[in-house]
Amino acid sequence: MLKDCIGIFNQKFAEAGDALITDNYTLDPGTYILVDLQGQIIDQKDVIKNKFERIGFDDFIERDYLSKLLDMNKPIDGKKVIHSNNFLSFWIKKDNLLPDNKGNTKLNPDIINNYYAILSDPRLKYKGKSLEIYNTIETSIGAPDLQILEFCKTWITEHIFSFIDDPKIKFDKTYLKIFFIADLSLYRQESQRYFLPNIYNTTDYNVLVNNQIFGLPNNNMGMNAKKPYLENKTRIKSKVPYLLSTDDVYMQKKFFDYLYNYANQGKTNVYFSTDCNDPDPIYPYESNRAHTKNLNGYFLRIQKGKELEIRDYDLITGYSPDLDQFTIRQAILLPKDAHSDLAYGDSLNLKSVQQLINSTFFRKFLTTNYFTDAGDIRLNDFRVKEELLRCRNGFFTWFYKGDARTIKNLFPKSSLELIKNSIGNGHFIKAIEQFNVRDGFITYFKGGTSMADQLVSIRQGLREKINSTGDHSIESDLEYFYAVGQITNYYLSKSKSNQPVYSTVNPVINCKTDEKLKDLVKRLFLKYNYIIQPSRRFGNLQSMIFSYRPDGPIDSTTLIAGYLSQNLLYESSKETKIQEEKTNVK
């Protein structure tokens, strides 16, 4: 899949070249100095941290890109004090110029001399297969220009320590980067002199096939004794996961450089379109944004680290930001004085559903923690955090890749646990909102009759039975569990204790057998019967509950619906009449 993404990138790179990378290139914070070949400083600018600089930095951007190290484990300077890769540039951290308590500085003349010695004769650095690669490169591009190199070395030796007294330079942990004016073609040549011998993870795995070098790439890859799981155990001659030619690995480097720019800008979701008619097939978005059009292709989730990291990747088929009739209805009505921000009745798209799930169930911790290490998620409610960790990958796959297969099977159970958690913590209105959103979610994916429709008939049937004279009985498991929820709500409403009653309801909504459920209801009656006024409604409801034996297992969803719904035992005669008239009209 990575190969396919690089292939899409190659099409753009063939048209734009390095400009495809440098047009979005981000400069490191620090001071940038440009020196001409007469030794005069002709430009000096500062880059501020977290600010994407373009205007006024044209002379620096491409030179900076061509002078970067592949990573800090592959420096020219073995002491890792100088961070540039060619003699036309000189990069150090500013604080490496400052003396310590003994008057010593990390940068010293020996380090400078050694840096330029290696650049003047790279054979001092390379051995074995790396030396073979370098010899091939030098045959192609020629030896270093020692005259320009010596000029650059002399200038740096004479001037670098004088910058300590420059009042325009703030000495901190940012960079001091010095560049010498030279044609960009010379920068490209010298960058190749560094890149190609170092571009592989290690040359130990290099092989020669038909006069072409193949080796293990360096991007997001490591091979050593501590990582035996990266070996391809099925290969006999080579355990290396995969090998690339020099041309391919160089293009892969360009691809990772391209993505690194976006990671620097916080654009961590990158989509690749396989539509040949797409004028721009690569779409980068910030971490909380998904693609805004239909797409077939690939998805990469990237992150800036010591190098570009690919945290997630997938094939995308039939992605669409729109949903067909995803709506939320009031399966359970909110109390009249309750406020809700839910958009009941509106047709929602994928982005809106993400925001809805995030705020209703996960306290707005979901969208910012798709890839956060579990220990770094500062969420105090253990149950919410547990369900977030259980569901986040499924939600990310749906919201950002359009694949709902995992979450549509996972979330009904997980959301029920979150509703129980809200009830247990006394968040009654929150639990109602969660129930309604859950019902919309299940109806959208599972189809069939929604709870919003089922509860209307269940509630009306139960209303008629508890308000009439004569003998009546519960006719279905759904009606039974709804009735148990109603009478549990009624009992607990009679509590005179200053202590919350929420913990009392937990055994009821988590009960596993009907025998235990009836026992719990009986205990609640015995606890609160002293304050219950005898009435036809209460008597009818209680007798029907104790005389019914359900056919199936405990239906926690319907029981919770009964508990959260407005209690029929408290319904006024006027309200009962209005509801009956509404039903007759229907």
Side-chain angles (χ1 to χ4, degrees):
M1 193 195 75
L2 183 61
K3 182 179 179 181
D4 295 326
C5 293
I6 294 174
I8 295 171
F9 166 79
N10 285 352
Q11 296 172 17
K12 295 186 66 173
F13 189 81
E15 298 174 3
D18 277 350
L20 184 63
I21 300 168
T22 56
D23 283 351
N24 286 297
Y25 188 73
T26 302
L27 294 169
D28 294 316
T31 300
Y32 288 70
I33 294 173
L34 189 63
V35 181
D36 65 19
L37 294 184
Q38 284 72 48
Q40 299 299 311
I41 295 176
I42 60 173
D43 198 3
Q44 180 171 329
K45 288 185 171 68
D46 288 311
V47 173
I48 301 171
K49 186 177 182 180
N50 297 327
K51 185 176 180 182
F52 180 56
E53 296 281 8
R54 296 294 306 176
I55 299 174
F57 285 84
D58 290 344
D59 289 331
F60 295 104
I61 289 172
E62 188 164 0
R63 290 181 171 90
D64 190 275
Y65 170 63
L66 294 170
S67 301
K68 291 183 70 171
L69 295 175
L70 286 164
D71 64 57
M72 284 308 299
N73 291 321
K74 296 188 174 183
I76 297 295
D77 166 29
K79 301 294 185 180
K80 300 183 180 180
V81 175
I82 305 173
H83 294 179
S84 43
N85 70 36
N86 64 76
F87 59 80
L88 295 168
S89 59
F90 193 88
W91 300 5
I92 57 169
K93 291 293 183 74
K94 292 175 184 174
D95 56 356
N96 286 341
L97 284 177
L98 299 177
D100 59 20
N101 294 333
K102 297 180 180 180
N104 299 319
T105 58
K106 285 190 177 181
L107 181 69
N108 58 55
D110 289 340
I111 290 176
I112 296 173
N113 290 333
N114 188 62
Y115 174 71
Y116 285 104
I118 292 173
L119 292 172
S120 64
D121 185 6
R123 291 179 179 83
L124 297 173
K125 175 177 174 62
Y126 302 121
K127 297 178 181 180
K129 293 179 180 179
S130 297
L131 181 58
E132 292 176 9
I133 295 175
Y134 176 74
N135 287 335
T136 302
I137 294 165
E138 186 170 294
T139 301
S140 174
I141 66 175
D145 188 324
L146 297 182
Q147 183 176 353
I148 298 178
L149 183 149
E150 192 60 35
F151 169 81
C152 297
K153 174 187 175 182
T154 301
W155 195 95
I156 290 295
T157 302
E158 293 177 353
H159 294 87
I160 189 65
F161 292 101
S162 64
F163 286 109
I164 297 174
D165 301 320
D166 190 334
K168 293 182 292 184
I169 297 179
K170 179 182 177 181
F171 277 85
D172 48 25
K173 294 185 180 298
T174 63
Y175 273 107
L176 173 63
K177 294 188 176 184
I178 299 169
F179 300 87
F180 292 91
I181 288 247
D183 195 277
L184 286 173
S185 61
L186 184 57
Y187 269 91
R188 295 189 191 101
Q189 173 183 297
E190 295 308 311
S191 71
Q192 280 191 318
R193 196 185 303 280
Y194 164 75
F195 285 137
L196 294 179
N198 293 284
I199 204 166
Y200 288 112
N201 178 267
T202 172
T203 57
D204 293 345
Y205 302 106
N206 286 13
V207 294
L208 192 65
V209 180
N210 296 329
N211 294 320
Q212 262 196 309
I213 295 173
F214 287 79
L216 179 68
N218 194 48
N219 307 106
N220 281 198
M221 181 56 66
M223 286 283 287
N224 55 53
K226 295 181 180 180
K227 298 179 180 178
Y229 50 84
L230 290 174
E231 294 181 354
N232 188 328
K233 304 296 185 180
T234 61
R235 281 205 190 111
I236 298 175
K237 292 185 177 181
S238 176
K239 302 296 184 182
V240 178
Y242 68 108
L243 300 172
L244 293 180
S245 70
T246 303
D247 289 341
D248 287 343
V249 77
Y250 190 64
M251 189 52 64
Q252 180 171 297
K253 174 202 173 298
K254 295 287 185 182
F255 174 71
F256 273 75
D257 289 343
Y258 172 76
L259 293 180
Y260 189 78
N261 290 339
Y262 288 126
N264 256 334
Q265 298 168 32
K267 296 178 179 179
T268 56
N269 298 325
V270 187
Y271 294 83
F272 296 79
S273 171
T274 52
D275 183 355
C276 58
N277 296 318
D278 202 325
D280 190 354
I282 303 178
Y283 299 89
Y285 294 95
E286 293 177 353
S287 62
N288 60 347
R289 293 186 58 205
H291 194 45
T292 56
K293 299 186 293 185
N294 294 352
L295 180 109
N296 289 308
Y298 304 95
F299 170 84
L300 296 182
R301 172 78 174 197
I302 60 176
Q303 177 178 299
K304 178 184 176 183
K306 291 182 179 179
E307 60 174 339
L308 177 88
E309 300 173 4
I310 297 178
R311 299 295 304 275
D312 188 37
Y313 57 89
D314 216 334
L315 174 69
I316 303 292
T317 50
Y319 170 87
S320 174
D322 300 315
L323 300 175
D324 183 20
Q325 295 300 312
F326 191 113
T327 58
I328 306 300
R329 297 169 59 192
Q330 289 200 51
I332 299 175
L333 296 177
L334 288 164
K336 292 179 181 179
D337 58 346
H339 170 75
S340 175
D341 292 324
L342 298 188
Y344 288 108
D346 292 351
S347 184
L348 305 177
N349 61 21
L350 203 55
K351 180 180 179 180
S352 299
V353 173
Q354 178 180 209
Q355 294 169 342
L356 181 69
I357 297 292
N358 183 42
S359 59
T360 307
F361 288 95
F362 297 107
R363 304 184 184 181
K364 298 184 179 181
F365 274 80
L366 174 65
T367 57
T368 54
N369 291 289
Y370 283 121
F371 295 92
T372 307
D373 289 339
D376 294 331
I377 300 176
R378 304 303 179 197
L379 185 53
N380 294 328
D381 191 313
F382 170 77
R383 179 62 64 192
V384 176
K385 183 175 180 179
E386 183 180 46
E387 298 305 328
L388 185 152
L389 294 173
R390 191 191 316 279
C391 294
R392 62 178 178 174
N393 183 63
F395 273 124
F396 187 85
T397 302
W398 181 31
F399 295 142
Y400 291 89
K401 306 174 190 176
D403 184 353
R405 288 175 296 178
T406 298
I407 200 62
K408 75 178 182 181
N409 294 317
L410 181 64
F411 192 58
K413 180 180 179 181
S414 184
S415 57
L416 190 61
E417 293 303 315
L418 290 168
I419 292 170
K420 291 178 181 180
N421 183 65
S422 294
I423 293 172
N425 288 323
H427 303 144
F428 199 84
I429 303 302
K430 172 61 71 176
I432 294 175
E433 290 186 326
Q434 290 173 335
F435 189 98
N436 291 338
V437 173
R438 177 181 186 270
D439 181 51
F441 181 96
I442 293 174
T443 302
Y444 177 79
F445 283 113
K446 306 288 186 179
T449 305
S450 71
M451 286 295 291
D453 293 324
Q454 292 181 58
L455 293 181
V456 171
S457 59
I458 291 172
R459 189 172 173 83
Q460 181 56 30
L462 200 59
R463 176 185 287 115
E464 292 174 357
K465 292 171 183 176
I466 67 173
N467 281 286
S468 63
T469 57
D471 294 332
H472 293 280
S473 61
I474 288 174
E475 299 172 4
S476 69
D477 284 6
L478 288 177
E479 189 176 41
Y480 168 69
F481 289 114
Y482 187 87
V484 171
Q486 284 274 289
I487 205 166
T488 301
N489 176 292
Y490 180 72
Y491 288 142
L492 295 181
S493 70
K494 298 298 183 180
S495 174
K496 299 295 185 180
S497 171
N498 292 326
Q499 298 298 318
V501 298
Y502 316 124
S503 59
T504 309
V505 76
N506 284 338
V508 178
I509 61 179
N510 288 292
C511 194
K512 300 301 181 184
T513 67
D514 183 58
E515 181 180 3
K516 179 65 175 177
L517 185 62
K518 282 186 169 64
D519 182 61
L520 290 169
V521 173
K522 182 180 179 179
R523 291 184 185 184
L524 288 174
F525 171 71
L526 294 174
K527 184 176 182 178
Y528 295 110
N529 73 87
Y530 72 95
I531 202 171
I532 295 174
Q533 295 294 327
S535 70
R536 183 175 66 247
R537 286 179 176 180
F538 174 75
N540 286 345
L541 183 60
Q542 181 170 253
S543 63
M544 286 191 297
I545 288 173
F546 281 103
S547 62
Y548 185 81
R549 294 292 181 271
D551 296 324
I554 300 293
D555 184 347
S556 297
T557 302
T558 309
L559 193 155
I560 288 171
Y563 177 77
L564 293 175
S565 297
Q566 296 176 34
N567 204 296
L568 291 169
L569 297 177
Y570 286 122
E571 197 172 69
S572 68
S573 299
K574 181 179 180 181
E575 288 174 326
T576 299
K577 185 177 181 180
I578 291 172
Q579 294 301 325
E580 289 175 346
E581 289 175 349
K582 286 182 179 179
T583 303
N584 292 332
V585 169
K586 292 179 181 178

